[in-house]
PDB file of all heavy atoms in Angstrom:
ATOM      1  N   PRO B 283     -33.639  14.901 -27.172  1.00 97.00           N
ATOM      2  CA  PRO B 283     -32.303  14.449 -27.645  1.00 97.00           C
ATOM      3  C   PRO B 283     -31.968  13.060 -27.225  1.00 97.00           C
ATOM      4  O   PRO B 283     -30.825  12.657 -27.162  1.00 97.00           O
ATOM      5  CB  PRO B 283     -31.392  15.468 -26.961  1.00 97.00           C
ATOM      6  CG  PRO B 283     -32.112  15.936 -25.765  1.00 97.00           C
ATOM      7  CD  PRO B 283     -33.580  15.810 -26.054  1.00 97.00           C
ATOM      8  N   GLY B 284     -32.961  12.195 -27.014  1.00 95.00           N
ATOM      9  CA  GLY B 284     -32.731  10.824 -26.564  1.00 95.00           C
ATOM     10  C   GLY B 284     -32.975  10.728 -25.086  1.00 95.00           C
ATOM     11  O   GLY B 284     -32.711  11.706 -24.375  1.00 95.00           O
ATOM     12  N   PRO B 285     -33.573   9.638 -24.548  1.00 97.00           N
ATOM     13  CA  PRO B 285     -33.872   8.394 -25.318  1.00 97.00           C
ATOM     14  C   PRO B 285     -35.008   8.589 -26.345  1.00 97.00           C
ATOM     15  O   PRO B 285     -35.908   9.387 -26.053  1.00 97.00           O
ATOM     16  CB  PRO B 285     -34.272   7.451 -24.228  1.00 97.00           C
ATOM     17  CG  PRO B 285     -34.754   8.267 -23.105  1.00 97.00           C
ATOM     18  CD  PRO B 285     -33.975   9.548 -23.197  1.00 97.00           C
ATOM     19  N   SER B 335     -23.230   0.039 -20.075  1.00 98.00           N
ATOM     20  CA  SER B 335     -23.308   1.428 -19.606  1.00 98.00           C
ATOM     21  C   SER B 335     -24.029   2.240 -20.640  1.00 98.00           C
ATOM     22  O   SER B 335     -24.319   1.752 -21.759  1.00 98.00           O
ATOM     23  CB  SER B 335     -21.899   2.023 -19.437  1.00 98.00           C
ATOM     24  OG  SER B 335     -21.355   2.282 -20.697  1.00 98.00           O
ATOM     25  N   THR B 336     -24.307   3.507 -20.337  1.00 98.00           N
ATOM     26  CA  THR B 336     -24.798   4.407 -21.363  1.00 98.00           C
ATOM     27  C   THR B 336     -23.565   4.995 -22.113  1.00 98.00           C
ATOM     28  O   THR B 336     -22.469   4.591 -21.875  1.00 98.00           O
ATOM     29  CB  THR B 336     -25.654   5.519 -20.751  1.00 98.00           C
ATOM     30  OG1 THR B 336     -24.798   6.341 -19.925  1.00 98.00           O
ATOM     31  CG2 THR B 336     -26.809   4.982 -19.939  1.00 98.00           C
ATOM     32  N   GLY B 337     -23.841   5.959 -22.967  1.00 98.00           N
ATOM     33  CA  GLY B 337     -22.804   6.521 -23.822  1.00 98.00           C
ATOM     34  C   GLY B 337     -21.642   7.107 -22.992  1.00 98.00           C
ATOM     35  O   GLY B 337     -20.477   7.012 -23.376  1.00 98.00           O
ATOM     36  N   THR B 338     -21.991   7.683 -21.860  1.00 98.00           N
ATOM     37  CA  THR B 338     -20.933   8.332 -21.074  1.00 98.00           C
ATOM     38  C   THR B 338     -19.891   7.286 -20.599  1.00 98.00           C
ATOM     39  O   THR B 338     -18.713   7.542 -20.491  1.00 98.00           O
ATOM     40  CB  THR B 338     -21.539   9.067 -19.868  1.00 98.00           C
ATOM     41  OG1 THR B 338     -22.503  10.026 -20.383  1.00 98.00           O
ATOM     42  CG2 THR B 338     -20.513   9.846 -19.075  1.00 98.00           C
ATOM     43  N   GLY B 339     -20.389   6.082 -20.278  1.00 98.00           N
ATOM     44  CA  GLY B 339     -19.534   4.969 -19.887  1.00 98.00           C
ATOM     45  C   GLY B 339     -18.532   4.641 -21.008  1.00 98.00           C
ATOM     46  O   GLY B 339     -17.383   4.306 -20.733  1.00 98.00           O
ATOM     47  N   ALA B 340     -19.039   4.740 -22.239  1.00 98.00           N
ATOM     48  CA  ALA B 340     -18.147   4.462 -23.390  1.00 98.00           C
ATOM     49  C   ALA B 340     -17.117   5.525 -23.517  1.00 98.00           C
ATOM     50  O   ALA B 340     -15.945   5.265 -23.895  1.00 98.00           O
ATOM     51  CB  ALA B 340     -18.970   4.325 -24.637  1.00 98.00           C
ATOM     52  N   MET B 341     -17.507   6.782 -23.150  1.00 98.00           N
ATOM     53  CA  MET B 341     -16.470   7.839 -23.211  1.00 98.00           C
ATOM     54  C   MET B 341     -15.378   7.527 -22.195  1.00 98.00           C
ATOM     55  O   MET B 341     -14.177   7.733 -22.420  1.00 98.00           O
ATOM     56  CB  MET B 341     -17.142   9.214 -22.875  1.00 98.00           C
ATOM     57  CG  MET B 341     -18.194   9.602 -23.811  1.00 98.00           C
ATOM     58  SD  MET B 341     -19.243  10.998 -23.204  1.00 98.00           S
ATOM     59  CE  MET B 341     -18.376  12.370 -24.026  1.00 98.00           C
ATOM     60  N   PHE B 362     -21.429  20.567 -25.726  1.00 96.00           N
ATOM     61  CA  PHE B 362     -21.477  20.022 -24.387  1.00 96.00           C
ATOM     62  C   PHE B 362     -20.734  18.666 -24.282  1.00 96.00           C
ATOM     63  O   PHE B 362     -20.072  18.380 -23.287  1.00 96.00           O
ATOM     64  CB  PHE B 362     -22.932  19.816 -24.058  1.00 96.00           C
ATOM     65  CG  PHE B 362     -23.203  19.286 -22.687  1.00 96.00           C
ATOM     66  CD1 PHE B 362     -23.315  20.118 -21.594  1.00 96.00           C
ATOM     67  CD2 PHE B 362     -23.319  17.864 -22.468  1.00 96.00           C
ATOM     68  CE1 PHE B 362     -23.578  19.618 -20.335  1.00 96.00           C
ATOM     69  CE2 PHE B 362     -23.567  17.378 -21.234  1.00 96.00           C
ATOM     70  CZ  PHE B 362     -23.689  18.234 -20.150  1.00 96.00           C
ATOM     71  N   PHE B 363     -20.854  17.856 -25.328  1.00 97.00           N
ATOM     72  CA  PHE B 363     -20.300  16.498 -25.222  1.00 97.00           C
ATOM     73  C   PHE B 363     -18.802  16.491 -25.427  1.00 97.00           C
ATOM     74  O   PHE B 363     -18.031  15.664 -24.900  1.00 97.00           O
ATOM     75  CB  PHE B 363     -21.038  15.492 -26.065  1.00 97.00           C
ATOM     76  CG  PHE B 363     -22.422  15.232 -25.499  1.00 97.00           C
ATOM     77  CD1 PHE B 363     -23.543  15.801 -26.061  1.00 97.00           C
ATOM     78  CD2 PHE B 363     -22.573  14.470 -24.373  1.00 97.00           C
ATOM     79  CE1 PHE B 363     -24.827  15.633 -25.480  1.00 97.00           C
ATOM     80  CE2 PHE B 363     -23.811  14.279 -23.785  1.00 97.00           C
ATOM     81  CZ  PHE B 363     -24.970  14.852 -24.321  1.00 97.00           C
ATOM     82  N   GLY B 364     -18.306  17.466 -26.229  1.00 98.00           N
ATOM     83  CA  GLY B 364     -16.859  17.657 -26.353  1.00 98.00           C
ATOM     84  C   GLY B 364     -16.280  18.102 -25.027  1.00 98.00           C
ATOM     85  O   GLY B 364     -15.224  17.696 -24.594  1.00 98.00           O
ATOM     86  N   ARG B 366     -17.561  17.342 -22.078  1.00 98.00           N
ATOM     87  CA  ARG B 366     -17.545  16.122 -21.194  1.00 98.00           C
ATOM     88  C   ARG B 366     -16.366  15.208 -21.538  1.00 98.00           C
ATOM     89  O   ARG B 366     -15.674  14.705 -20.662  1.00 98.00           O
ATOM     90  CB  ARG B 366     -18.868  15.380 -21.405  1.00 98.00           C
ATOM     91  CG  ARG B 366     -18.853  14.077 -20.618  1.00 98.00           C
ATOM     92  CD  ARG B 366     -20.239  13.467 -20.585  1.00 98.00           C
ATOM     93  NE  ARG B 366     -21.165  14.310 -19.784  1.00 98.00           N
ATOM     94  CZ  ARG B 366     -22.401  13.968 -19.527  1.00 98.00           C
ATOM     95  NH1 ARG B 366     -22.919  12.785 -19.927  1.00 98.00           N
ATOM     96  NH2 ARG B 366     -23.178  14.762 -18.832  1.00 98.00           N
ATOM     97  N   VAL B 410     -16.311  14.771 -31.407  1.00 98.00           N
ATOM     98  CA  VAL B 410     -17.694  14.412 -31.409  1.00 98.00           C
ATOM     99  C   VAL B 410     -18.248  14.489 -32.810  1.00 98.00           C
ATOM    100  O   VAL B 410     -18.233  15.585 -33.397  1.00 98.00           O
ATOM    101  CB  VAL B 410     -18.562  15.213 -30.400  1.00 98.00           C
ATOM    102  CG1 VAL B 410     -19.981  14.789 -30.491  1.00 98.00           C
ATOM    103  CG2 VAL B 410     -18.003  15.131 -28.987  1.00 98.00           C
ATOM    104  N   HIS B 411     -18.623  13.343 -33.404  1.00 98.00           N
ATOM    105  CA  HIS B 411     -19.088  13.378 -34.754  1.00 98.00           C
ATOM    106  C   HIS B 411     -20.364  14.164 -34.930  1.00 98.00           C
ATOM    107  O   HIS B 411     -20.415  15.116 -35.754  1.00 98.00           O
ATOM    108  CB  HIS B 411     -19.313  11.910 -35.251  1.00 98.00           C
ATOM    109  CG  HIS B 411     -19.608  11.769 -36.663  1.00 98.00           C
ATOM    110  ND1 HIS B 411     -20.396  10.750 -37.168  1.00 98.00           N
ATOM    111  CD2 HIS B 411     -19.268  12.478 -37.780  1.00 98.00           C
ATOM    112  CE1 HIS B 411     -20.511  10.873 -38.476  1.00 98.00           C
ATOM    113  NE2 HIS B 411     -19.791  11.883 -38.837  1.00 98.00           N
ATOM    114  N   ALA B 412     -21.367  13.891 -34.155  1.00 98.00           N
ATOM    115  CA  ALA B 412     -22.605  14.654 -34.202  1.00 98.00           C
ATOM    116  C   ALA B 412     -22.862  15.199 -32.769  1.00 98.00           C
ATOM    117  O   ALA B 412     -23.138  14.484 -31.857  1.00 98.00           O
ATOM    118  CB  ALA B 412     -23.778  13.770 -34.603  1.00 98.00           C
ATOM    119  N   GLU B 413     -22.667  16.563 -32.653  1.00 97.00           N
ATOM    120  CA  GLU B 413     -22.839  17.192 -31.333  1.00 97.00           C
ATOM    121  C   GLU B 413     -24.325  17.389 -31.031  1.00 97.00           C
ATOM    122  O   GLU B 413     -24.992  18.172 -31.688  1.00 97.00           O
ATOM    123  CB  GLU B 413     -22.154  18.546 -31.340  1.00 97.00           C
ATOM    124  CG  GLU B 413     -21.001  18.727 -30.373  1.00 97.00           C
ATOM    125  CD  GLU B 413     -21.259  18.456 -28.886  1.00 97.00           C
ATOM    126  OE1 GLU B 413     -22.414  18.399 -28.480  1.00 97.00           O
ATOM    127  OE2 GLU B 413     -20.268  18.271 -28.145  1.00 97.00           O
ATOM    128  N   THR B 414     -24.799  16.662 -30.066  1.00 97.00           N
ATOM    129  CA  THR B 414     -26.206  16.658 -29.772  1.00 97.00           C
ATOM    130  C   THR B 414     -26.623  17.959 -29.029  1.00 97.00           C
ATOM    131  O   THR B 414     -27.826  18.202 -28.883  1.00 97.00           O
ATOM    132  CB  THR B 414     -26.569  15.415 -28.914  1.00 97.00           C
ATOM    133  OG1 THR B 414     -25.746  14.364 -29.369  1.00 97.00           O
ATOM    134  CG2 THR B 414     -28.009  15.050 -29.084  1.00 97.00           C
ATOM    135  N   SER B 415     -25.650  18.716 -28.566  1.00 96.00           N
ATOM    136  CA  SER B 415     -26.019  19.950 -27.929  1.00 96.00           C
ATOM    137  C   SER B 415     -26.240  21.117 -28.932  1.00 96.00           C
ATOM    138  O   SER B 415     -26.986  22.051 -28.603  1.00 96.00           O
ATOM    139  CB  SER B 415     -24.916  20.375 -26.902  1.00 96.00           C
ATOM    140  OG  SER B 415     -23.662  20.563 -27.594  1.00 96.00           O
ATOM    141  N   ASP B 439     -16.751  10.180 -31.012  1.00 98.00           N
ATOM    142  CA  ASP B 439     -18.051  10.003 -30.367  1.00 98.00           C
ATOM    143  C   ASP B 439     -19.127   9.951 -31.462  1.00 98.00           C
ATOM    144  O   ASP B 439     -19.391  10.887 -32.147  1.00 98.00           O
ATOM    145  CB  ASP B 439     -18.300  11.151 -29.409  1.00 98.00           C
ATOM    146  CG  ASP B 439     -19.676  11.112 -28.711  1.00 98.00           C
ATOM    147  OD1 ASP B 439     -20.663  10.736 -29.394  1.00 98.00           O
ATOM    148  OD2 ASP B 439     -19.699  11.454 -27.535  1.00 98.00           O
ATOM    149  N   ALA B 440     -19.713   8.723 -31.583  1.00 98.00           N
ATOM    150  CA  ALA B 440     -20.755   8.582 -32.615  1.00 98.00           C
ATOM    151  C   ALA B 440     -22.048   8.170 -31.882  1.00 98.00           C
ATOM    152  O   ALA B 440     -22.882   7.439 -32.457  1.00 98.00           O
ATOM    153  CB  ALA B 440     -20.379   7.472 -33.612  1.00 98.00           C
ATOM    154  N   VAL B 441     -22.238   8.731 -30.713  1.00 98.00           N
ATOM    155  CA  VAL B 441     -23.419   8.375 -29.909  1.00 98.00           C
ATOM    156  C   VAL B 441     -24.696   8.731 -30.677  1.00 98.00           C
ATOM    157  O   VAL B 441     -25.585   7.878 -30.843  1.00 98.00           O
ATOM    158  CB  VAL B 441     -23.405   9.025 -28.531  1.00 98.00           C
ATOM    159  CG1 VAL B 441     -24.704   8.783 -27.777  1.00 98.00           C
ATOM    160  CG2 VAL B 441     -22.231   8.524 -27.695  1.00 98.00           C
ATOM    161  N   THR B 442     -24.761   9.956 -31.172  1.00 98.00           N
ATOM    162  CA  THR B 442     -25.979  10.320 -31.869  1.00 98.00           C
ATOM    163  C   THR B 442     -25.907  10.059 -33.365  1.00 98.00           C
ATOM    164  O   THR B 442     -26.896   9.885 -34.019  1.00 98.00           O
ATOM    165  CB  THR B 442     -26.233  11.850 -31.656  1.00 98.00           C
ATOM    166  OG1 THR B 442     -26.657  12.007 -30.274  1.00 98.00           O
ATOM    167  CG2 THR B 442     -27.288  12.456 -32.535  1.00 98.00           C
ATOM    168  N   SER B 443     -24.713   9.947 -33.943  1.00 98.00           N
ATOM    169  CA  SER B 443     -24.667   9.781 -35.391  1.00 98.00           C
ATOM    170  C   SER B 443     -24.932   8.363 -35.826  1.00 98.00           C
ATOM    171  O   SER B 443     -25.489   8.142 -36.933  1.00 98.00           O
ATOM    172  CB  SER B 443     -23.309  10.271 -35.975  1.00 98.00           C
ATOM    173  OG  SER B 443     -22.238   9.615 -35.277  1.00 98.00           O
ATOM    174  N   TYR B 460     -17.500   4.951 -30.461  1.00 98.00           N
ATOM    175  CA  TYR B 460     -18.480   4.459 -29.541  1.00 98.00           C
ATOM    176  C   TYR B 460     -19.817   5.108 -29.794  1.00 98.00           C
ATOM    177  O   TYR B 460     -19.899   6.149 -30.433  1.00 98.00           O
ATOM    178  CB  TYR B 460     -18.076   4.630 -28.069  1.00 98.00           C
ATOM    179  CG  TYR B 460     -17.770   6.061 -27.714  1.00 98.00           C
ATOM    180  CD1 TYR B 460     -18.822   6.954 -27.465  1.00 98.00           C
ATOM    181  CD2 TYR B 460     -16.464   6.550 -27.706  1.00 98.00           C
ATOM    182  CE1 TYR B 460     -18.560   8.291 -27.112  1.00 98.00           C
ATOM    183  CE2 TYR B 460     -16.200   7.877 -27.414  1.00 98.00           C
ATOM    184  CZ  TYR B 460     -17.273   8.757 -27.095  1.00 98.00           C
ATOM    185  OH  TYR B 460     -16.991  10.050 -26.764  1.00 98.00           O
ATOM    186  N   SER B 461     -20.852   4.423 -29.321  1.00 98.00           N
ATOM    187  CA  SER B 461     -22.209   4.956 -29.452  1.00 98.00           C
ATOM    188  C   SER B 461     -23.038   4.589 -28.226  1.00 98.00           C
ATOM    189  O   SER B 461     -22.482   4.279 -27.189  1.00 98.00           O
ATOM    190  CB  SER B 461     -22.810   4.444 -30.752  1.00 98.00           C
ATOM    191  OG  SER B 461     -24.071   5.091 -31.022  1.00 98.00           O
ATOM    192  N   ALA B 462     -24.349   4.652 -28.396  1.00 98.00           N
ATOM    193  CA  ALA B 462     -25.241   4.258 -27.261  1.00 98.00           C
ATOM    194  C   ALA B 462     -26.552   3.780 -27.869  1.00 98.00           C
ATOM    195  O   ALA B 462     -26.893   4.111 -29.024  1.00 98.00           O
ATOM    196  CB  ALA B 462     -25.529   5.507 -26.366  1.00 98.00           C
ATOM    197  N   THR B 463     -27.275   2.978 -27.110  1.00 98.00           N
ATOM    198  CA  THR B 463     -28.443   2.307 -27.684  1.00 98.00           C
ATOM    199  C   THR B 463     -29.676   3.199 -27.853  1.00 98.00           C
ATOM    200  O   THR B 463     -30.512   2.874 -28.661  1.00 98.00           O
ATOM    201  CB  THR B 463     -28.818   1.127 -26.797  1.00 98.00           C
ATOM    202  OG1 THR B 463     -28.752   1.490 -25.381  1.00 98.00           O
ATOM    203  CG2 THR B 463     -27.916  -0.057 -27.001  1.00 98.00           C
ATOM    204  N   GLN B 464     -29.730   4.276 -27.083  1.00 98.00           N
ATOM    205  CA  GLN B 464     -31.035   4.968 -26.993  1.00 98.00           C
ATOM    206  C   GLN B 464     -31.209   6.077 -28.001  1.00 98.00           C
ATOM    207  O   GLN B 464     -32.199   6.841 -27.892  1.00 98.00           O
ATOM    208  CB  GLN B 464     -31.204   5.508 -25.543  1.00 98.00           C
ATOM    209  CG  GLN B 464     -30.468   6.825 -25.287  1.00 98.00           C
ATOM    210  CD  GLN B 464     -29.020   6.605 -24.769  1.00 98.00           C
ATOM    211  OE1 GLN B 464     -28.440   5.582 -25.028  1.00 98.00           O
ATOM    212  NE2 GLN B 464     -28.434   7.569 -24.073  1.00 98.00           N
ATOM    213  N   LYS B 465     -30.328   6.252 -28.958  1.00 98.00           N
ATOM    214  CA  LYS B 465     -30.550   7.306 -29.915  1.00 98.00           C
ATOM    215  C   LYS B 465     -31.037   6.704 -31.248  1.00 98.00           C
ATOM    216  O   LYS B 465     -32.146   6.242 -31.281  1.00 98.00           O
ATOM    217  CB  LYS B 465     -29.334   8.202 -29.964  1.00 98.00           C
ATOM    218  CG  LYS B 465     -29.137   8.847 -28.534  1.00 98.00           C
ATOM    219  CD  LYS B 465     -28.240   9.914 -28.369  1.00 98.00           C
ATOM    220  CE  LYS B 465     -28.255  10.295 -26.884  1.00 98.00           C
ATOM    221  NZ  LYS B 465     -27.275  11.319 -26.486  1.00 98.00           N
ATOM    222  N   PRO B 471     -32.147   3.044 -23.244  1.00 98.00           N
ATOM    223  CA  PRO B 471     -30.828   3.374 -22.765  1.00 98.00           C
ATOM    224  C   PRO B 471     -30.285   2.266 -21.865  1.00 98.00           C
ATOM    225  O   PRO B 471     -31.003   1.599 -21.156  1.00 98.00           O
ATOM    226  CB  PRO B 471     -31.040   4.620 -21.899  1.00 98.00           C
ATOM    227  CG  PRO B 471     -32.482   4.731 -21.647  1.00 98.00           C
ATOM    228  CD  PRO B 471     -33.206   3.915 -22.657  1.00 98.00           C
ATOM    229  N   GLY B 472     -28.930   1.990 -21.982  1.00 98.00           N
ATOM    230  CA  GLY B 472     -28.408   0.980 -21.108  1.00 98.00           C
ATOM    231  C   GLY B 472     -27.176   0.262 -21.658  1.00 98.00           C
ATOM    232  O   GLY B 472     -26.438  -0.315 -20.897  1.00 98.00           O
ATOM    233  N   LEU B 473     -26.957   0.348 -22.982  1.00 98.00           N
ATOM    234  CA  LEU B 473     -25.765  -0.267 -23.527  1.00 98.00           C
ATOM    235  C   LEU B 473     -25.032   0.698 -24.418  1.00 98.00           C
ATOM    236  O   LEU B 473     -25.687   1.636 -24.964  1.00 98.00           O
ATOM    237  CB  LEU B 473     -26.057  -1.548 -24.322  1.00 98.00           C
ATOM    238  CG  LEU B 473     -26.570  -2.765 -23.566  1.00 98.00           C
ATOM    239  CD1 LEU B 473     -26.914  -3.921 -24.523  1.00 98.00           C
ATOM    240  CD2 LEU B 473     -25.533  -3.251 -22.539  1.00 98.00           C
ATOM    241  N   ALA B 474     -23.712   0.566 -24.540  1.00 98.00           N
ATOM    242  CA  ALA B 474     -22.942   1.457 -25.345  1.00 98.00           C
ATOM    243  C   ALA B 474     -21.985   0.670 -26.238  1.00 98.00           C
ATOM    244  O   ALA B 474     -20.947   0.205 -25.774  1.00 98.00           O
ATOM    245  CB  ALA B 474     -22.159   2.399 -24.424  1.00 98.00           C
ATOM    246  N   ILE B 570     -27.066  17.978 -38.360  1.00 98.00           N
ATOM    247  CA  ILE B 570     -27.227  16.501 -38.175  1.00 98.00           C
ATOM    248  C   ILE B 570     -28.708  16.112 -38.330  1.00 98.00           C
ATOM    249  O   ILE B 570     -29.601  16.893 -38.068  1.00 98.00           O
ATOM    250  CB  ILE B 570     -26.691  16.041 -36.753  1.00 98.00           C
ATOM    251  CG1 ILE B 570     -27.462  16.651 -35.622  1.00 98.00           C
ATOM    252  CG2 ILE B 570     -25.211  16.346 -36.659  1.00 98.00           C
ATOM    253  CD1 ILE B 570     -27.012  16.151 -34.243  1.00 98.00           C
ATOM    254  N   LEU B 573     -31.020  15.237 -34.834  1.00 98.00           N
ATOM    255  CA  LEU B 573     -31.394  16.306 -33.878  1.00 98.00           C
ATOM    256  C   LEU B 573     -31.273  17.682 -34.493  1.00 98.00           C
ATOM    257  O   LEU B 573     -30.247  18.013 -35.043  1.00 98.00           O
ATOM    258  CB  LEU B 573     -30.511  16.256 -32.614  1.00 98.00           C
ATOM    259  CG  LEU B 573     -30.988  17.251 -31.613  1.00 98.00           C
ATOM    260  CD1 LEU B 573     -31.444  16.562 -30.336  1.00 98.00           C
ATOM    261  CD2 LEU B 573     -29.967  18.271 -31.296  1.00 98.00           C
ATOM    262  N   LEU B 603     -28.613  22.979 -23.940  1.00 91.00           N
ATOM    263  CA  LEU B 603     -27.707  22.402 -22.980  1.00 91.00           C
ATOM    264  C   LEU B 603     -26.540  23.366 -22.890  1.00 91.00           C
ATOM    265  O   LEU B 603     -26.027  23.852 -23.876  1.00 91.00           O
ATOM    266  CB  LEU B 603     -27.283  21.031 -23.480  1.00 91.00           C
ATOM    267  CG  LEU B 603     -26.869  19.937 -22.526  1.00 91.00           C
ATOM    268  CD1 LEU B 603     -27.911  19.729 -21.465  1.00 91.00           C
ATOM    269  CD2 LEU B 603     -26.666  18.652 -23.298  1.00 91.00           C
ATOM    270  N   ARG B 612     -34.037  21.649 -28.801  1.00 98.00           N
ATOM    271  CA  ARG B 612     -33.376  20.512 -29.448  1.00 98.00           C
ATOM    272  C   ARG B 612     -34.428  19.467 -29.739  1.00 98.00           C
ATOM    273  O   ARG B 612     -35.031  18.886 -28.849  1.00 98.00           O
ATOM    274  CB  ARG B 612     -32.278  19.933 -28.544  1.00 98.00           C
ATOM    275  CG  ARG B 612     -31.126  20.945 -28.367  1.00 98.00           C
ATOM    276  CD  ARG B 612     -29.969  20.406 -27.631  1.00 98.00           C
ATOM    277  NE  ARG B 612     -30.392  19.905 -26.291  1.00 98.00           N
ATOM    278  CZ  ARG B 612     -29.877  18.814 -25.711  1.00 98.00           C
ATOM    279  NH1 ARG B 612     -28.967  18.113 -26.327  1.00 98.00           N
ATOM    280  NH2 ARG B 612     -30.259  18.455 -24.493  1.00 98.00           N
ATOM    281  N   MET B 616     -35.095  10.477 -33.875  1.00 98.00           N
ATOM    282  CA  MET B 616     -34.085   9.422 -33.760  1.00 98.00           C
ATOM    283  C   MET B 616     -34.748   8.069 -33.707  1.00 98.00           C
ATOM    284  O   MET B 616     -35.766   7.876 -33.037  1.00 98.00           O
ATOM    285  CB  MET B 616     -33.287   9.542 -32.457  1.00 98.00           C
ATOM    286  CG  MET B 616     -32.571  10.857 -32.238  1.00 98.00           C
ATOM    287  SD  MET B 616     -31.786  10.856 -30.617  1.00 98.00           S
ATOM    288  CE  MET B 616     -30.928  12.444 -30.679  1.00 98.00           C
TER     289      MET B 616
HETATM  290  C1  PLP Y 195     -26.228  11.317 -25.506  1.00 65.16           C
HETATM  291  C2  PLP Y 195     -24.810  11.578 -25.769  1.00 65.16           C
HETATM  292  C3  PLP Y 195     -23.764  11.140 -24.968  1.00 65.16           C
HETATM  293  C4  PLP Y 195     -23.963  10.572 -23.605  1.00 65.16           C
HETATM  294  O1  PLP Y 195     -24.667   9.467 -23.513  1.00 65.16           O
HETATM  295  P1  PLP Y 195     -25.439   8.994 -22.186  1.00 65.16           P
HETATM  296  O2  PLP Y 195     -26.143   7.846 -22.774  1.00 65.16           O
HETATM  297  O3  PLP Y 195     -26.355  10.115 -21.758  1.00 65.16           O
HETATM  298  O4  PLP Y 195     -24.479   8.638 -21.203  1.00 65.16           O
HETATM  299  C5  PLP Y 195     -22.482  11.305 -25.375  1.00 65.16           C
HETATM  300  N1  PLP Y 195     -22.172  11.935 -26.554  1.00 65.16           N
HETATM  301  C6  PLP Y 195     -23.184  12.426 -27.324  1.00 65.16           C
HETATM  302  C7  PLP Y 195     -22.803  13.116 -28.610  1.00 65.16           C
HETATM  303  C8  PLP Y 195     -24.530  12.244 -26.982  1.00 65.16           C
HETATM  304  O5  PLP Y 195     -25.447  12.754 -27.763  1.00 65.16           O
END
Side-chain angles (χ1 to χ4, degrees):
S335 73
T336 65
T338 305
M341 301 169 92
F362 182 89
F363 290 103
R366 175 169 294 185
V410 178
H411 187 211
E413 243 305 343
T414 324
S415 59
D439 179 319
V441 174
T442 288
S443 54
Y460 57 81
S461 188
T463 42
Q464 78 273 22
K465 298 193 179 174
L473 290 177
I570 64 177
L573 186 117
L603 207 52
R612 294 186 303 144
M616 301 177 175

